[in-house]
Amino acid sequence: MSITKTRPEVLAPAGTLEKLKVAIDYGADAVYIGGQAYGLRSRAGNFTFEEMAEGVAYASAHNAKVYVAANMVTHEGNEKGAGEWFRTLRDLGISAVIVSDPALIAICAAEAPGLAIHLSTQASATNYETLEFWKNLGLERVVLAREVSVEELREIRQHTDVEIEAFVHGAMCISYSGRCVLSNYMSMRDANRGGCSQSCRWKYDLYDMPFAGERKSITGEVTEEFSMSAVDMSMIEHIPDMIENGVNSLKIEGRMKSIHYVSTVSNVYKAAIDAYLESPERFEEIKPALVDELWKVAQRELDTGFYYGTPDENKQLFGARRKIPEYKFVGEVVDFDAETMVATIRQRNVITEGDQIEFYGPGFRHVETMVKNLRLAETDEHIDRAPNPMTLLHIDVPFAVKAGDMIRKNGSGLINLYDKKTGLAKTVRA
């Protein structure tokens, strides 16, 4: 079967209604959310049915879709009420549910006909025979396991026409997709039923335990306590491989991330797709700017996961940070007066007169300026520093901005460089 190159959707995480709207405004073609049952993110600000209805209405008005993650592994009794729940999602206009448990798949197919089902990455689909199996059961899309390589992706695409959704950005699981029980043992919280305590990201003590001797903690004698955490995935420089191999949906992880993260990453991947489909040369031209943009938002270090080989010890989080983001999210534009050139902004972090700031907006728009004539919006009183989040402020700007534009400021401007030989870091100015 030949590979048909299509325009992939940008699928963004939306932990709250605010994040849903921001993701769509910043280029997401679809968002995935959690409901108050059957999901794997118990602390992600999961949606009520009323919030889902508002989210679907907003998405529909912007030609976007809303998917609901219902990807928990059910134990006896967990499946009760699932049929009614799936019917409610269908009737609200949810475009698809993302499911891993065969029992929930069967219930949804039987009791909520018309609601599309996507197979969750929790089901660990890694070959085309598996995709064909789920296709024969009526599923139209499969989210591949994160362990699939680009070579395997190409082979899968050549042998099946099932829609393929693949992760391109965000956190990696140190365990095999959908198979981790570490949290169950370490904190009695079931990772596969929404309670993961992320035990792999804890800092563990390290002991010297000679045979038949007492154990001795060597904390402080090594550069850092042991951690099992992988660096995050980023495929921004390899979007051509995803498009040329027929991926239908590029998935961004992070339903618990901030609106700064959601807006930035959605904006970047939308711009990458647009550039490559315009021409490969245009993509190569814009690629450095795309990478730089991603490093303006708080995240872990980045690599390509399993796409180009099995990650080694250098793809783990240990020792000093090898690179850190340089910018801090400080606010968003709520209004702009074109006559006076005054922007009304909602503050999110400390803003000080004289700060160097950057406005960014949908369509990969960026402009920089300095904070001048900082005032409280309510009284128009001039202030030197605004320390309280959610305060409405006025600032003068030398260019037009739009409601919904985000604002960041250049922070320390420092990058930590990790020296593998010494295990130490040195800090240099970016």
Side-chain angles (χ1 to χ4, degrees):
M1 183 186 300
S2 61
I3 295 177
T4 301
K5 183 172 69 175
T6 61
R7 180 188 183 87
E9 72 178 8
V10 175
L11 176 55
T16 65
L17 190 56
E18 179 189 31
K19 294 173 188 175
L20 179 150
K21 294 177 180 179
V22 167
I24 292 171
D25 289 345
Y26 277 78
D29 303 291
V31 295
Y32 62 100
I33 67 175
Q36 296 188 327
Y38 308 110
L40 285 183
R41 290 292 183 271
S42 60
R43 295 172 289 122
N46 294 315
F47 283 57
T48 64
F49 289 140
E50 291 75 16
E51 289 171 329
M52 286 185 188
E54 184 176 343
V56 167
Y58 191 86
S60 298
H62 293 79
N63 197 31
K65 297 178 179 180
V66 179
Y67 308 141
V68 174
N71 49 353
M72 72 177 290
V73 174
T74 57
H75 288 222
E76 284 299 331
N78 294 150
E79 78 288 351
K80 291 180 180 178
E84 180 180 356
W85 191 75
F86 284 126
R87 285 194 297 274
T88 301
L89 299 190
R90 178 196 61 188
D91 296 343
L92 286 172
I94 296 297
S95 295
V97 287
I98 307 168
V99 191
S100 65
D101 193 300
L104 290 181
I105 291 172
I107 291 170
C108 183
E111 300 198 31
L115 177 59
I117 303 172
H118 297 171
L119 187 72
S120 170
T121 191
Q122 295 296 113
S124 302
T126 55
N127 59 77
Y128 69 81
E129 291 93 340
T130 296
L131 272 67
E132 285 291 294
F133 170 85
W134 290 110
K135 172 187 173 181
N136 292 334
L137 289 180
L139 276 65
E140 64 181 42
R141 178 184 291 188
V142 169
V143 187
L144 294 181
R146 288 179 175 90
E147 294 77 22
V148 171
S149 68
V150 167
E151 184 178 347
E152 290 170 329
L153 169 61
R154 185 178 303 112
E155 182 79 3
I156 291 169
R157 180 76 289 169
Q158 289 173 337
H159 288 87
T160 181
D161 59 0
V162 177
E163 289 187 11
I164 292 176
E165 184 177 305
F167 279 94
V168 293
H169 200 91
M172 294 288 289
C173 182
I174 201 67
S175 180
Y176 205 87
S177 292
R179 308 293 173 88
C180 185
V181 293
L182 185 62
S183 175
N184 302 56
Y185 284 100
M186 302 300 293
S187 61
M188 304 301 175
R189 288 167 50 178
D190 192 338
N192 297 306
R193 287 196 285 172
C196 183
S197 59
Q198 296 192 341
S199 305
C200 57
R201 297 195 185 279
W202 298 356
K203 302 297 184 183
Y204 289 90
D205 205 347
L206 195 60
Y207 292 92
D208 179 13
M209 299 177 67
F211 181 74
E214 293 184 0
R215 68 179 188 177
K216 172 196 172 187
S217 172
I218 58 173
T219 298
E221 298 178 23
V222 292
T223 55
E224 184 180 359
E225 293 92 337
F226 180 71
S227 172
M228 290 177 281
S229 185
V231 302
D232 284 3
M233 175 196 290
S234 177
M235 286 291 285
I236 193 61
E237 297 183 71
H238 306 281
I239 290 302
D241 279 348
M242 309 307 284
I243 294 177
E244 293 296 334
N245 286 302
V247 175
N248 302 96
S249 179
L250 305 183
K251 189 167 192 171
I252 299 163
E253 183 274 338
R255 276 191 282 148
M256 298 179 70
K257 297 285 192 176
S258 68
I259 62 171
H260 182 209
Y261 179 90
V262 170
S263 60
T264 298
V265 181
S266 299
N267 214 8
V268 166
Y269 279 90
K270 175 67 157 53
I273 293 170
D274 288 345
Y276 184 70
L277 292 180
E278 178 183 331
S279 72
E281 293 76 19
R282 174 58 181 156
F283 175 76
E284 290 299 322
E285 178 186 333
I286 197 177
K287 186 164 66 173
L290 299 173
V291 174
D292 288 346
E293 186 75 1
L294 288 177
W295 277 109
K296 293 178 181 179
V297 67
Q299 61 193 334
R300 302 176 189 91
E301 295 167 48
L302 301 174
D303 199 74
T304 55
F306 287 84
Y307 279 115
Y308 301 100
T310 302
D312 60 20
E313 68 276 9
N314 295 312
K315 309 301 171 57
Q316 307 299 311
L317 292 176
F318 68 94
R321 283 290 298 264
R322 282 153 277 189
K323 188 171 183 179
I324 57 175
E326 303 168 37
Y327 285 73
K328 178 181 288 188
F329 176 49
V330 295
E332 59 197 305
V333 178
V334 296
D335 192 28
F336 173 69
D337 188 323
E339 291 187 7
T340 61
M341 298 298 286
V342 171
T344 302
I345 65 175
R346 181 182 291 111
Q347 174 193 353
R348 296 285 182 147
N349 276 298
V350 176
I351 299 176
T352 304
E353 182 94 356
D355 280 343
Q356 190 69 30
I357 59 173
E358 176 186 65
F359 290 83
Y360 72 94
F364 213 57
R365 293 183 290 107
H366 301 81
V367 285
E368 294 185 1
T369 188
M370 183 181 292
V371 175
K372 294 181 179 179
N373 200 13
L374 179 66
R375 291 104 69 202
L376 295 172
E378 185 176 1
T379 63
D380 212 39
E381 174 191 356
H382 184 272
I383 55 176
D384 294 324
R385 184 173 182 269
N388 302 316
M390 305 309 288
T391 301
L392 289 178
L393 305 170
H394 283 158
I395 59 172
D396 296 344
V397 290
F399 38 68
V401 294
K402 298 180 180 180
D405 285 357
M406 303 290 176
I407 311 165
R408 13 169 126 94
K409 72 176 179 180
N410 199 330
S412 64
L414 301 178
I415 295 177
N416 281 348
L417 298 178
Y418 178 70
D419 188 327
K420 294 180 184 178
K421 292 182 179 179
T422 65
L424 302 174
K426 61 179 180 178
T427 304
V428 299
R429 185 157 299 278

